């Protein structure tokens, strides 16, 4: 009976340790996913800002071209 109790305690300890390790791995994975999502959002914001600047630049070029062609008439 004593050996059965020792075996049960050992098995429960091993299972608990495995469960704890898996949860720690899951937490690390979630942290990495959050970090990746933050980087994606930052990249999206930068690309959006770049596109806004390019659009403004193109708009200004068109306005300059239009005003130049009108002043030449």
């Amino acid at each position: 009976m004593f050996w059965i109790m020792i075996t049960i305690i050992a098995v429960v300890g091993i299972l608990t340790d495995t469960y704890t390790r898996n949860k720690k791995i899951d937490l690390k994975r979630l942290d990495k996913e959050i970090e990746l999502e933050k980087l994606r959002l930052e990249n999206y914001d930068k690309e959006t800002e770049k596109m806004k600047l390019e659009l403004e630049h193109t708009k200004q070029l068109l306005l300059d071209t239009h005003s130049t062609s009108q002043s030449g008439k």
Side-chain angles (χ1 to χ4, degrees):
M1 184 70 165
F2 176 73
W3 293 110
I4 294 173
M5 293 300 285
I6 296 288
T7 304
I8 290 173
I9 291 171
V11 169
V12 169
I14 291 170
L15 292 176
T16 303
D17 185 52
T18 301
Y19 178 79
T20 304
R21 284 184 194 174
N22 287 339
K23 287 299 172 187
K24 286 180 181 178
I25 290 170
D26 286 344
L27 285 173
K28 285 181 183 178
R29 181 182 54 81
L30 286 173
D31 284 342
K32 293 294 182 184
E33 286 180 10
I34 290 169
E35 182 180 341
L36 179 60
E37 196 57 37
K38 285 179 182 178
L39 289 172
R40 284 181 183 153
L41 183 59
E42 183 180 316
N43 188 43
Y44 175 80
D45 290 341
K46 287 179 180 180
E47 286 180 6
T48 303
E49 187 61 31
K50 180 182 175 190
M51 290 173 70
K52 281 182 186 177
L53 291 172
E54 288 174 353
L55 183 61
E56 279 297 318
H57 180 72
T58 304
K59 182 179 174 182
Q60 190 61 44
L61 286 175
L62 287 172
L63 288 173
D64 291 346
T65 303
H66 182 70
S67 65
T68 303
S69 67
Q70 288 217 346
S71 66
K73 287 185 177 181

